[in-house]
């Protein structure tokens, strides 16, 4: 009686406990989970100076806030008008610091106050009589073609046109031919808009993109094309969300069909989802608590990796077909625990592989697998009914017998796979873009647009670092003079540096001292304009402004806050907490090696950073680190297996089968996919987890032929359900999801075949 | 046909007198425009910055597709191309493009010249209130932009000529700036 009651209490307590855990996890997710699609999330920590620059600049570098917009229309006239209206709507929205459509020019109103007020300190001016004379000559020529009050006022206050010269030097795209902006034959007008929101601020970017689309729709273009990091992030968020939803629905339906076919009991299908659901929720809740923000890919990938846990209830169901569930779980528990424990080790290895994204991924799947395993152990047998067993086999107390294991299959596949891998040479890609879920087509179009519209080279920049702000600016000024020489030598077309609008204090002081006093200036103006038709007093405003500039306080980076030039200053000049750094962006760099070599002689403290090379070394170091971590995980798993299985044929067979499946998967994937990325490597960890599960179960000593039949049934169902789910992923439009699907699907098939062919079931 | 045209023009030019209209059509009909041929000009330009007008010598030409090319030979060399939307200035081998959206003065001048040289009374009356004056053998067209916004850039254009020839185009701007372009009569 007492024992029954205790049994009853326990059987109530366990489901209740799991329900509480599930609810707690759900409430944590509901209240705390924030999603991100920040592209830098899966990148590792930088180790070299170049990699550091790369990481600093990713998502906030010069050009990262630029959106390239292709507006459609018919004919030159309609396109020009549409482009004009579109630009003015974008400017009015206040979401952009700059909007360019090729129709702009520099006028007095377009010069930011910070430039206008400091124009005599931002430009080298020849204040001599000859200098003034040359300037007056040019202004007379301007008056020969331009007229109007604004031109007269501009000349009267700034006869050197310093303010115009400064703005012209900064123009985002001053190299662009007019024709590049409107292509009537293609029916496209291009615009460049620089969003105020940073590229990684997804909420703000999605508002920005929506405004662009709505504005285009209002003007009659429903198909406006938007390129640029911000737009990609927004597009990606939508695509990933849609794809994840659609593919997971399809995969779920497919798995349900497989399970229904295997067990013919809808109840079991629902029960099978219980450990998975609890594990998923708890895993996600733990990640939410540990990290706060969770990456979209962590979700998609994490649930995939953790999908290995669906095998656990399946083993139970298959073995419970001929015996009560409680006895079945006792029978399979040692093997289940060993398989799941080893898988958790591999997943934890991913968690320490070096990036926030992977840390989340490993954590989510490790916790998920662990929880699902215990839920399968403690909860499922209670929820299963006697009827769930289709037939009852007599309880057996006979000695378990080892399974006959064949070593030829795995050995042959391992040798073949290794040969294929070696023959293919380099199979891993070092392209950083392989870590972004963007399609190569989009990245190619992005580069082409940047080149066509004269945006700065986003691959190369010159980096300088100094101890102090003033020192950094002085070195940048020196770099500026050398880059001007590089321009004359034909090494580059143009360069942008912060000192073009923010000179060092020393330079500002020198320029201030060069401004003549009012009387001298008046005398020089009189001398320079002798014989010219300028009226007396025409340049009074210029004299007043010069007088004010002589007394003005030095201009600093803070003076650019809230101006249209703020993002220019921010992206070319920074303080990282210890050093002041400055970047020069380059236009028209044709021979990076020559410039790099030239710079090392001319400005030894400046480095030409090749962001692509930096990203490649970053990825390759990253992969090396993952390889090392995974190797350590493999050794750990081997140690655990050694401990549980002891030395002998079974250990050799399990490790050999696992290794051969992985090596062959790598070989096949390298053949089918162009390059393998770190994500394929991660997918291989799942393949290893599944392979371990199959190999351990297939090789476990069995008590009778019925036992062996159920094991083989379970493995068939496990492999079939995983295979259909990943085949559905393999045809996804998101490249990394597709690539993941292909890797896992092929790996599962190999795991299954090797485990199947390598064992001979006991005959009754 | 001519009645229909006149009725249309009358509707456009509600404030203009009917006899002015007839005269406008007559003058425009009579103007001969040598296309793609450089026409010598002397231009005086007065600005609030100048004590006396700047005097320029050069050539203008009008292409069939409506591009006005002006090249200054003296006192310095400078050339300008004006199309419907923009003008291009060439100096020291560099070309600068200026959108006419922000240079309404040039835009009005260009629109007036183009309508005049194309003999397009419709375009002229659409943009300007036109009055005519005849003194001896000379005719004079006074064009005042209809849009208030344009009048902030150009007060009026005064075009005078004799028979089939345009002799001067005078532009008055608010603030006292003015330009006057004189064309040397083509000898018959």
């Amino acid at each position: 009686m007492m024992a029954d009651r205790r049994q009853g209490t326990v059987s109530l307590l366990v489901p209740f406990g799991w329900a509480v855990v599930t609810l707690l996890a759900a409430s944590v997710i509901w209240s705390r989970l924030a999603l991100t699609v920040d592209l830098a999330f899966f990148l590792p920590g930088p180790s070299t100076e170049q990699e550091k620059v790369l990481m600093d600049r990713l998502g906030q570098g010069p050009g990262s806030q630029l959106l390239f917009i292709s507006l459609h229309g018919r004919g030159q006239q309609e396109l020009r008008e549409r482009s004009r209206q579109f630009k003015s709507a974008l400017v009015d929205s206040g979401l952009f610091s700059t909007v360019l459509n090729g129709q702009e020019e520099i006028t007095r109103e377009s010069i930011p106050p910070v430039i206008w007020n400091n124009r005599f300190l931002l430009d080298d001016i020849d204040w001599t009589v000859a200098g003034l004379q040359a300037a007056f000559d040019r202004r007379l020529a301007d008056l020969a073609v331009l007229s109007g009050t604004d031109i007269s006022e501009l000349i009267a206050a700034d006869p050197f046109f310093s303010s115009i010269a400064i703005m012209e030097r900064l123009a985002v795209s001053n190299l662009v031919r007019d024709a590049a902006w409107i292509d009537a034959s293609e029916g496209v007008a291009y615009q460049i808009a620089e969003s105020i929101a940073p590229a990684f601020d997804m909420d703000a970017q999605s508002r920005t993109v929506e405004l662009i689309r709505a504005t285009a729709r209002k003007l009659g273009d429903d198909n406006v094309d938007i390129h640029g990091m911000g737009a990609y992030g927004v597009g990606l968020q939508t695509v990933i969300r849609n794809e994840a939803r659609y593919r997971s629905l399809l995969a779920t339906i497919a798995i349900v069909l497989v399970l229904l076919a295997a067990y013919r009991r809808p109840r079991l299908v629902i029960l099978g989802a219980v450990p998975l659901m609890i594990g998923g929720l708890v895993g996600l809740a733990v990640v939410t608590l540990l990290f706060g923000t969770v990456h979209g890919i962590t979700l998609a990938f994490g649930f995939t990796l953790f999908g290995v846990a669906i095998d656990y209830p399946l083993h139970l169901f298959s073995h419970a077909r001929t015996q009560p569930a409680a006895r079945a779980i006792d029978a399979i528990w040692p093997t289940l625990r060993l398989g799941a424990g080893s898988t958790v080790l591999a997943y934890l290895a991913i968690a320490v592989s070096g990036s926030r994204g992977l840390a989340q991924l490993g954590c989510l799947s490790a916790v998920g697998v662990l929880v699902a395993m215990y839920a399968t152990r403690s909860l499922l047998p209670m929820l299963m009914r006697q009827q769930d067993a289709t037939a009852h086999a007599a309880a057996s107390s006979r000695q378990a017998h080892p399974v006959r294991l064949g070593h030829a299959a795995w050995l042959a596949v391992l040798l073949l796979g290794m040969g294929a891998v070696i023959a293919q040479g380099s199979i891993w890609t070092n392209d950083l873009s392989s870590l972004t879920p963007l399609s190569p087509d989009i990245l190619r179009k992005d580069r082409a647009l940047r080149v066509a519209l004269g945006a700065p080279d986003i691959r190369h920049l010159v980096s300088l670092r100094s101890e102090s702000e003033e020192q950094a600016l002085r070195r940048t000024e020196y770099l500026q003079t050398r880059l001007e020489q590089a321009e004359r030598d034909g090494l580059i077309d143009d360069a942008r540096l912060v000192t073009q609008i923010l000179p060092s204090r020393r330079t500002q002081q020198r320029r201030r001292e060069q401004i003549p006093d009012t009387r001298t200036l008046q005398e020089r103006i009189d001398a320079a304009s002798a014989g010219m038709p300028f009226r007396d007093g025409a340049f009074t405003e210029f004299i007043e402004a010069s007088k004010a500039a002589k007394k003005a306080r030095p201009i600093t980076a803070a003076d650019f806050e809230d101006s249209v030039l703020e993002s220019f200053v921010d992206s070319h000049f920074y303080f990282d907490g210890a050093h002041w750094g400055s970047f020069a962006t380059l236009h028209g760099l044709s021979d990076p090696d020559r410039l790099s070599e030239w710079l090392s002689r001319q400005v030894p403290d400046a480095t030409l950073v090749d962001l692509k090379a930096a990203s490649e070394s970053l990825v390759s170091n990253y992969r090396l680190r993952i390889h090392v971590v995974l190797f350590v995980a493999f050794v750990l798993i081997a140690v655990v297996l050694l401990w549980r299985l002891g030395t002998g044929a079974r250990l050799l067979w399990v490790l050999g089968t696992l290794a051969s499946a992985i090596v062959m998967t790598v070989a096949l994937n390298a053949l089918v996919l162009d390059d393998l990325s770190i994500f394929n490597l991660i997918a291989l960890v799942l393949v290893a987890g599944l392979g371990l599960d199959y190999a351990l179960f297939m090789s476990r000593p069995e008590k009778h032929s019925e036992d062996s039949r159920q094991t083989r049934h379970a493995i068939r169902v496990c492999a079939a359900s995983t295979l259909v789910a990943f085949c559905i992923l393999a045809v996804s439009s998101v490249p990394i999801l597709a690539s993941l699907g292909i890797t896992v699907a092929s790996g599962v098939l190999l795991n299954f075949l090797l485990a199947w062919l390598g064992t001979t079931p006991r005959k009754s | 046909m001519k009645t229909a045209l006149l009725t249309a023009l009358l509707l456009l030019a509600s404030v203009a007198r009917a006899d002015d209209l007839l005269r406008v059509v007559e003058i425009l009909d009579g103007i001969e425009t040598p296309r793609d041929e450089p026409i010598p000009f002397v231009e005086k330009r007065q600005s609030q910055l100048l004590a006396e007008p700047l005097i320029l010598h050069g050539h203008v030409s009008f292409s069939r597709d409506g591009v006005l090319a002006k090249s200054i030979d003296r006192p310095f060399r400078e050339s300008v191309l004006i199309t419907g939307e923009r003008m291009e200035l060439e100096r020291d081998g560099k070309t600068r493009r200026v959108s006419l959206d922000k240079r309404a003065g040039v835009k009005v001048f260009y629109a007036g010249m183009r309508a005049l040289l194309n003999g397009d009374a419709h375009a002229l009356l659409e943009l300007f209130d036109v009055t005519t004056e005849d003194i001896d053998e000379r005719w004079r067209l006074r064009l005042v932009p209809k849009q208030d916004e344009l009048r902030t850039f150009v007060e009026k254009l005064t075009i005078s000529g004799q028979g089939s020839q345009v002799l001067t185009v005078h532009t008055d701007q608010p603030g006292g700036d003015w330009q006057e372009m004189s064309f040397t009569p083509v000898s018959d």
Side-chain angles (χ1 to χ4, degrees), chain A residues 102 179 297 314 331 385 591 607 620 652 681:
Chain A
I297 294 176
L314 301 189
R385 293 183 195 147
D591 189 345
T607 330
S620 125
L652 179 69
L681 198 56

Side-chain angles (χ1 to χ4, degrees), chain A residues 317-648:
Chain A
F317 295 162
S318 288
H319 284 87
R321 295 196 310 167
T322 52
Q323 57 190 318
R327 197 177 300 155
I329 194 72
D330 284 343
I332 61 169
W333 176 242
T335 312
L336 192 71
R337 189 180 50 190
L338 183 57
S342 310
T343 304
V344 167
L345 269 182
Y347 288 177
L348 285 178
I350 297 179
V352 295
S353 295
S355 76
R356 265 183 309 163
L358 289 186
Q360 293 187 352
L361 196 61
C363 182
L364 186 142
S365 22
V367 172
V369 163
L370 213 57
V371 170
M373 175 184 77
Y374 278 106
T376 304
R377 169 88 182 94
S378 64
L379 183 62
L380 275 198
M382 288 184 176
L383 301 178
M384 287 170 73
R385 293 183 195 147
Q386 286 298 318
Q387 310 85 287
D388 291 331
T390 45
H392 282 274
S396 170
S397 56
R398 275 178 288 161
Q399 182 73 36
H401 295 283
V403 171
R404 269 190 289 153
L405 302 168
H407 293 275
W410 71 256
L411 201 60
V413 170
L414 183 65
L415 291 175
L416 197 66
M418 281 168 78
V421 169
I422 292 166
Q424 289 184 69
S426 156
I427 50 173
W428 301 102
T429 174
N430 284 336
D431 193 348
L432 188 65
S433 62
S434 70
L435 295 187
T436 75
L438 297 174
S439 79
D441 274 352
I442 287 189
L443 293 170
R444 254 197 303 280
K445 177 111 196 251
D446 185 75
R447 274 194 287 273
L449 271 171
R450 279 172 199 274
V451 172
L453 295 177
D457 185 330
I458 51 169
R459 177 170 168 179
H460 297 96
L461 40 84
V462 180
S463 167
L464 248 181
R465 270 143 70 84
S466 282
E467 300 300 319
S468 72
E469 184 177 6
E470 175 66 10
Q471 192 58 30
L473 289 173
R474 286 185 191 183
R475 293 305 302 158
T476 309
E477 277 168 349
Y478 179 67
L479 175 65
Q480 187 181 338
T481 61
R482 298 327 297 149
L483 287 178
E484 279 160 12
Q485 183 58 45
E487 211 177 306
R488 285 189 289 275
D489 291 353
L491 287 165
I492 53 172
D493 286 345
D494 205 354
R496 301 276 181 283
L497 304 98
V498 70
T499 43
Q500 287 170 327
I501 50 172
L502 178 60
S504 67
R505 281 174 186 245
R506 182 175 66 181
T507 301
Q508 293 186 49
Q509 185 55 32
R510 177 176 53 77
R511 287 176 180 161
R512 195 177 288 112
E513 282 164 5
Q514 282 170 352
I515 303 174
D517 61 61
T518 307
R519 230 183 86 199
T520 315
L521 183 57
Q522 182 64 65
E523 284 167 10
R524 291 183 191 175
I525 289 174
D526 291 345
S529 63
M532 292 190 186
F534 291 109
R535 69 171 167 75
D536 286 344
F539 297 104
T540 312
E541 203 188 326
F542 168 56
I543 296 171
E544 289 303 317
S546 312
K547 198 166 130 190
K550 243 185 136 41
K551 283 187 263 171
R553 62 163 185 81
I555 177 174
T556 66
D559 292 312
F560 291 91
E561 275 168 27
D562 298 326
S563 83
V564 293
L565 294 170
E566 183 177 4
S567 72
F568 179 89
V569 173
D570 283 352
S571 61
H572 289 82
F573 191 53
Y574 67 95
F575 180 60
D576 67 4
H579 294 91
W580 288 86
S582 154
F583 294 120
T585 43
L586 307 172
H587 291 253
L589 170 64
S590 48
D591 189 345
D593 291 340
R594 227 178 108 207
L595 181 71
S596 178
E597 196 259 333
W598 188 88
L599 265 178
S600 65
R601 273 182 286 120
Q602 302 276 340
V603 200
D605 53 339
T607 330
L608 179 69
V609 179
D610 180 347
L611 293 179
K612 187 164 161 49
S615 74
E616 285 176 353
S617 81
L618 191 78
V619 173
S620 125
N621 290 336
Y622 191 23
R623 197 182 49 247
L624 186 69
R625 182 166 173 182
I626 295 182
H627 271 127
V628 169
V629 167
L630 290 182
F631 178 74
V632 171
F634 190 81
V635 171
L636 275 177
I637 289 171
V639 170
V640 170
L641 293 180
L642 182 70
W643 170 45
R644 300 308 302 173
L645 305 180
T647 50

